């Protein structure tokens, strides 16, 4: 995943709303959101190359998502573990959220740069390793892309503002959120672009909320939300980065009355 806007306790009817885009090479094999065959309590997508995931939840009330940190100014890790395993391992872990977060922080040097969000029954922890950090996420609207938590890049600023404006209407419409995350407008002002070591032209190409380039771009958009008694995840998958055609899949997971408390 490369862009996410998280609304925590920002809507009166939905304790959590998560809007996210997954950007990846289209040749990399993956499965769409589903209840996992070998771990039926978990639902989300699966990266078939490394067997991890970028976003998934459990029936018991855990949710996690991950974005990569783009920093080509640093030398590559000589032997990194798959970052996607940070999500799946949390969802399979039987210990406390706090214990898992501390374990990840201790071994954060084993991975290339990442942002990891862990959620369980209303408590939310953010972890990052470029720079190394851990913090409790407060209620409000937050955005993260391929830099550290709440870094203002053109795409995160636009997406965060648009989601906030939609939530302030008091209504909930997944179509409006999908429209926000399908915006392919690029930032043309070079002074507003980040410098991650890839050059200004590539920064411009990657500056849109939905990335569209041949072979690489936004492969899917997922809207996830918690209501009073269920979690709903809706995913739109683009089979081609350059066209607007998509397939859609919805998963609904009933929850215990105190799931999100």
């Amino acid at each position: 995943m490369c862009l996410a806007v998280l609304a925590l306790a920002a809507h009166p009817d939905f304790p959590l709303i998560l809007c996210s885009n997954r950007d990846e090479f289209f040749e990399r094999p993956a499965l769409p959101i589903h209840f996992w065959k070998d771990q039926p309590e978990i639902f989300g997508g699966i990266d078939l190359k490394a067997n991890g995931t970028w976003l998934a939840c459990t029936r018991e009330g855990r949710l996690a998502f991950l974005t990569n940190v783009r920093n080509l100014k640093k030398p590559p890790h000589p032997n990194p573990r798959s970052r996607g395993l940070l999500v799946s391992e949390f969802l399979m872990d039987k210990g406390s959220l706090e214990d898992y977060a501390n374990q990840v922080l201790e071994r954060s040097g084993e991975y290339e740069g990442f942002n990891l969000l862990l959620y369980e029954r209303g408590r939310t922890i953010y972890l990052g390793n470029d720079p190394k950090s851990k913090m409790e996420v407060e209620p409000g609207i937050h955005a993260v892309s391929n830099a550290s938590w709440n870094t203002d890049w053109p795409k995160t600023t636009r997406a965060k503002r648009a989601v906030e404006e939609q939530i302030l209407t008091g209504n909930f419409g997944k179509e409006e959120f999908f429209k926000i995350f399908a915006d392919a407008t690029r930032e043309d002002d070079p002074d507003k672009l980040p410098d991650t070591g890839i050059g200004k032209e590539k920064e411009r190409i990657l500056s849109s909320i939905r990335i569209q380039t041949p072979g690489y771009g936004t492969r899917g958009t997922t809207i996830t939300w918690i209501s009073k008694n269920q979690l709903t995840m809706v995913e739109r998958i683009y089979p081609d980065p350059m066209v607007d055609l998509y397939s859609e899949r919805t998963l609904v997971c009933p929850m215990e009355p105190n799931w999100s408390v």
Side-chain angles (χ1 to χ4, degrees), residues 69-71 74 112-115 126 128-133 147-148:
V69 173
R70 187 170 75 242
N71 186 356
K74 293 177 61 176
E112 293 280 17
F114 67 82
N115 299 298
Y126 161 77
N129 70 344
D130 189 7
K132 188 174 180 180
S133 57
S148 57

Side-chain angles (χ1 to χ4, degrees), residues 55-217:
L55 165 66
C57 312
T58 71
R59 299 175 188 267
E60 289 77 24
R62 286 189 166 187
L63 177 149
F65 73 80
L66 174 100
T67 75
N68 296 341
V69 173
R70 187 170 75 242
N71 186 356
L72 276 70
K73 295 181 177 181
K74 293 177 61 176
H77 195 295
N79 187 30
R81 292 193 75 225
S82 169
R83 290 167 287 197
L85 296 176
L86 290 167
V87 174
S88 56
E89 288 172 354
F90 169 64
L91 300 179
M92 290 185 280
D93 189 79
K94 302 303 181 183
S96 71
L97 184 154
E98 186 70 31
D99 286 346
Y100 184 80
N102 289 334
Q103 291 169 22
V104 170
L105 206 62
E106 289 176 4
R107 52 187 172 89
S108 62
E110 299 176 9
Y111 305 87
E112 293 280 17
F114 67 82
N115 299 298
L116 176 66
L117 184 129
L118 309 174
Y119 174 95
E120 183 177 33
R121 297 183 182 273
R123 189 180 179 198
T124 310
I125 291 179
Y126 161 77
L127 299 162
N129 70 344
D130 189 7
K132 188 174 180 180
S133 57
K134 173 191 172 187
M135 68 177 184
E136 197 96 16
V137 179
E138 298 296 326
I141 298 177
H142 308 270
V144 63
S145 183
N146 301 116
S148 57
W149 189 252
N150 280 331
T151 296
D152 288 328
W153 280 5
K155 64 164 61 180
T156 59
T157 300
R158 287 199 306 272
K160 181 178 178 180
R161 183 184 302 121
V163 169
E164 184 173 23
E165 290 174 353
Q166 177 59 32
I167 288 176
L168 285 174
T169 66
N171 298 319
F172 180 87
K174 65 179 179 69
E175 291 299 326
E176 285 75 9
F177 292 127
F178 275 121
K179 183 178 180 181
I180 292 168
F181 276 72
D183 182 1
T185 304
R186 295 174 178 176
E187 177 56 63
D188 291 325
D189 185 345
D191 294 333
K192 295 181 179 180
L193 295 172
D195 181 8
T196 64
I198 61 172
K200 287 297 184 182
E201 181 54 28
K202 288 185 178 179
E203 296 285 12
R204 188 184 73 85
I205 291 171
L206 300 177
S207 68
S208 54
I209 293 174
R210 179 187 173 190
I211 297 172
Q212 292 183 296
T213 61
Y216 177 89

